[in-house]
Amino acid sequence: MKGTTPLDDEGLPGRPPALLIRGGHICTADAAARVHPTGSVLVVGDRIAAVGPVEEVAQAVARLTPGQRAGLRTLDAGSMLVMPGFVNNHWHDMFAVRLPFKGALRTPDDRADEPGFMALGGDIAKVSAGFEGFRRLVDALEPDEAGAVARYALWTQLRSGTTTLGDVGSVNRPEALADAALELGIRCSVSAWVADTVCTGSGTPERTRDADTELARIQQVLDRCAADRTGRLRAWPTAPYLTNMSDELGRGLARLSAEYDVPFATHVGALRHEAEAVRTHFGLTPVRRLDRLGLLNDRLMAVHCAFADSEERRMLLDARVHISHSPAKYGPTGESTLSETGLIPELKRSGLDVSLSTDGGVFPVMGMAEEMRAAWQMYNELAADHTTLPASEALAMATRIAARGLAWEHEVGSLEAGKQADLVLVPIDDWRYLLNPRPLEGYLTLGGTQDVHTVLVAGRILLENGRAPHLDEAGLQDDYLRALRSFSARALGIAEKELTALFDDNPRLRTRDTAPASRRV
């Protein structure tokens, strides 16, 4: 299949000299939450040159050089909601384990489901053992499997409007994620799944790996991404869970975060039973342990962070940590992370940055649109006040504030002159938006990921009319399903007859009879 979109020297859709996105309903997500009901965005190269009312931006167009005006491309956004690209700052590529372990393939009937290990306050020993199992699966991925999985996983993010991604440890090889981000054209802060302990409930953590080896692994990722010249690839140290991190590893991660001047992220205070389990194994509750290890500071992204005592709450505020949470994910996993304590909205009211993210899981999770909807509805319900979290603030939590958690806020997260031209366009011309002066509310009420129409990253149109012009999307899926099948049979031990029944007897999962090929078109 040959594409018609010209590609640049990076193999990505070429940028016109100038691009005018004209006449849309623009939600800038800037600090003033400016909205331009009939506005335009002018992009020159990879940056926003002007944003505002149509007439104002037209003046900026008139100031373009003759060459820029001659090559100007105009997108009619008259029936579009125009937003900054979504910043998903807490995500895991779990696509290699979308088939659960042997004997646990899901049935079409959900009535016999039992609570998982994150439900009912969390079975922390099982969580820790599960995270250790994920780490071992990373090592089991063959490079070609890792690449196919990473390309498809990141394509799902692009398709859902995410332009900047924060990998907080994935069941994939870091180099595969970095390569896929460059190939697809999105931004990514890459990490590695580093862990050197597991806590089984005995009171003594079991060492599983050498801490120095794990630190060297993440340092390789930091060095590789520091050398990137595209401006779209970064790296940061992360840890999956405090039960899977020794003191030695934690102090080393703190050193790397400071040395490279990058954020650090970990899941902390996520489950009701977590504090007692961490205290049993390490002598301190989670927030206090982070403090002891030198990780409680303004570089910390505390993921979830719903359970903390009064002293720990003060410590979080004093350290000016960043909170990232995923409200649309909690119900499907049985977590009460937002509703049980109300801590996350409380920390937001107290002045901490609180952002939204999708998290990751072995089953599909929501996109950023769904996370915005969940936050908008749940914050207001918890407060019994519909003005507590306006839709515009939910958008900021998914863009500008989320970018701060990745230390990327000076480049992305809002539509402002001088920032990178990362945008998402959504049609608002059907019955859901009729006579609604606030299309963003309409989008959060009845819209979602599937409505994303156009996505720009650094001034390149990477998604247009719901399709990626530089990718063979069907081929991406085929390669992913082949990799999933081979990995599931070899590393997960799923019997061939089960895989045959799942893949060959299900029309949705059949691949085309073609050999793997380059995903460029």
Side-chain angles (χ1 to χ4, degrees), residues 16 18 20 28 40 72 110 135 159-161 199 209 253 255 270 310 360 370 394 400 422 425 432 461 482 490-491:
L20 177 64
T28 65
S40 297
L72 177 68
D110 61 9
R135 174 65 175 82
R159 179 61 188 82
S160 66
C199 295
R209 275 171 212 90
L253 291 170
R255 174 183 57 80
S310 57
E370 289 71 30
R400 175 173 51 85
D422 295 7
L425 280 67
R432 294 172 292 174
I461 300 176
R482 280 190 286 265
R490 179 174 47 77

Side-chain angles (χ1 to χ4, degrees), residues 71-134:
L72 177 68
R73 178 181 175 184
T74 299
L75 293 182
D76 181 6
S79 59
M80 295 281 186
L81 172 64
V82 181
M83 300 172 283
F86 302 144
V87 179
N88 187 358
N89 63 15
H90 158 228
W91 176 80
H92 312 274
D93 174 4
M94 308 290 282
F95 280 71
V97 287
R98 280 292 164 88
L99 298 181
F101 298 103
K102 185 177 181 180
L105 291 176
R106 299 178 100 195
T107 65
D109 183 3
D110 61 9
R111 300 301 294 273
D113 288 357
E114 296 182 354
F117 56 52
M118 289 186 179
L120 303 175
D123 185 329
I124 306 303
K126 288 185 177 179
V127 173
S128 185
F131 283 2
E132 169 59 24
F134 289 151

Side-chain angles (χ1 to χ4, degrees), residues 424-469:
V424 172
L425 280 67
V426 174
I428 52 172
D429 57 354
D430 62 29
W431 60 273
R432 294 172 292 174
Y433 302 96
L434 186 66
L435 301 180
N436 190 341
R438 298 177 180 175
L440 180 60
E441 287 188 359
Y443 180 56
L444 297 190
T445 302
L446 289 171
T449 291
Q450 188 59 32
D451 293 311
V452 171
H453 181 280
T454 299
V455 176
L456 281 76
V457 177
R460 296 185 179 94
I461 300 176
L462 300 184
L463 195 81
E464 190 167 13
N465 197 21
R467 305 291 295 179

Side-chain angles (χ1 to χ4, degrees), residues 91-94 167-171 191-193 238:
W91 176 80
H92 312 274
D93 174 4
M94 308 290 282
D167 163 36
V168 186
S170 291
V171 183
S191 190
W193 193 290
T238 66

Side-chain angles (χ1 to χ4, degrees), residues 39-368:
S40 297
V41 180
L42 176 63
V43 177
V44 176
D46 61 351
R47 296 193 178 267
I48 297 172
V51 57
V54 168
E55 299 79 7
E56 181 180 310
V57 176
Q59 296 174 15
V61 172
R63 293 192 293 271
L64 293 173
T65 67
Q68 290 169 338
R69 284 199 300 272
L72 177 68
R73 178 181 175 184
T74 299
L75 293 182
D76 181 6
S79 59
M80 295 281 186
L81 172 64
V82 181
M83 300 172 283
F86 302 144
V87 179
N88 187 358
N89 63 15
H90 158 228
W91 176 80
H92 312 274
D93 174 4
M94 308 290 282
F95 280 71
V97 287
R98 280 292 164 88
L99 298 181
F101 298 103
K102 185 177 181 180
L105 291 176
R106 299 178 100 195
T107 65
D109 183 3
D110 61 9
R111 300 301 294 273
D113 288 357
E114 296 182 354
F117 56 52
M118 289 186 179
L120 303 175
D123 185 329
I124 306 303
K126 288 185 177 179
V127 173
S128 185
F131 283 2
E132 169 59 24
F134 289 151
R135 174 65 175 82
R136 292 175 181 174
L137 291 175
V138 175
D139 296 335
L141 270 169
E142 296 291 345
D144 60 336
E145 293 170 340
V149 171
R151 287 189 294 272
Y152 184 76
L154 267 68
W155 172 82
T156 68
Q157 290 297 299
L158 172 63
R159 179 61 188 82
S160 66
T162 292
T163 56
T164 302
L165 196 61
D167 163 36
V168 186
S170 291
V171 183
N172 208 331
R173 295 170 174 259
E175 61 272 21
L177 292 168
D179 290 344
L182 293 175
E183 182 175 340
L184 270 67
I186 71 172
R187 304 181 194 278
C188 190
S189 281
V190 184
S191 190
W193 193 290
V194 295
D196 68 342
T197 65
V198 63
C199 295
T200 60
S202 65
T204 303
E206 176 187 341
R207 290 298 290 263
T208 57
R209 275 171 212 90
D210 176 67
D212 287 340
T213 302
E214 292 296 279
L215 290 168
R217 186 165 173 267
I218 188 62
Q219 188 163 5
Q220 287 179 346
V221 180
L222 288 162
D223 288 339
R224 183 242 164 115
C225 294
D228 174 69
R229 293 293 176 263
T230 69
R232 301 193 313 275
L233 197 61
R234 296 185 179 185
W236 57 337
T238 66
Y241 209 35
L242 297 188
T243 61
N244 297 70
M245 181 182 75
S246 70
D247 285 0
E248 182 183 1
L249 179 58
R251 286 190 290 268
L253 291 170
R255 174 183 57 80
L256 289 174
S257 176
E259 180 180 329
Y260 286 81
D261 192 21
V262 292
F264 166 80
T266 189
H267 304 81
V268 57
L271 300 166
R272 185 194 318 137
H273 298 151
E274 177 186 325
E276 186 56 36
V278 174
R279 179 169 29 221
T280 296
H281 288 87
F282 298 98
L284 291 170
T285 56
V287 175
R288 292 181 178 88
R289 185 167 182 239
L290 288 171
D291 188 37
R292 183 180 69 183
L293 296 174
L295 289 165
L296 189 68
N297 52 50
D298 60 3
R299 284 191 293 268
L300 171 64
M301 180 188 291
V303 176
H304 304 313
C305 203
F307 295 87
D309 61 37
S310 57
E311 182 183 10
E312 288 180 317
R313 296 178 188 201
R314 178 191 57 75
M315 294 169 69
L316 291 166
L317 291 169
D318 289 347
R320 306 303 302 169
V321 305
H322 185 105
I323 309 295
S324 179
H325 73 120
S326 314
K329 179 249 188 182
Y330 300 139
T333 54
E335 299 168 76
S336 57
T337 309
L338 186 59
S339 60
E340 185 169 341
T341 67
L343 176 60
I344 296 173
E346 176 188 319
L347 293 173
K348 186 177 187 302
R349 287 193 298 271
S350 299
L352 285 189
D353 277 348
V354 175
S355 61
L356 299 174
S357 58
T358 66
D359 205 337
V362 296
F363 307 127
V365 294
M366 286 59 169
M368 292 299 286

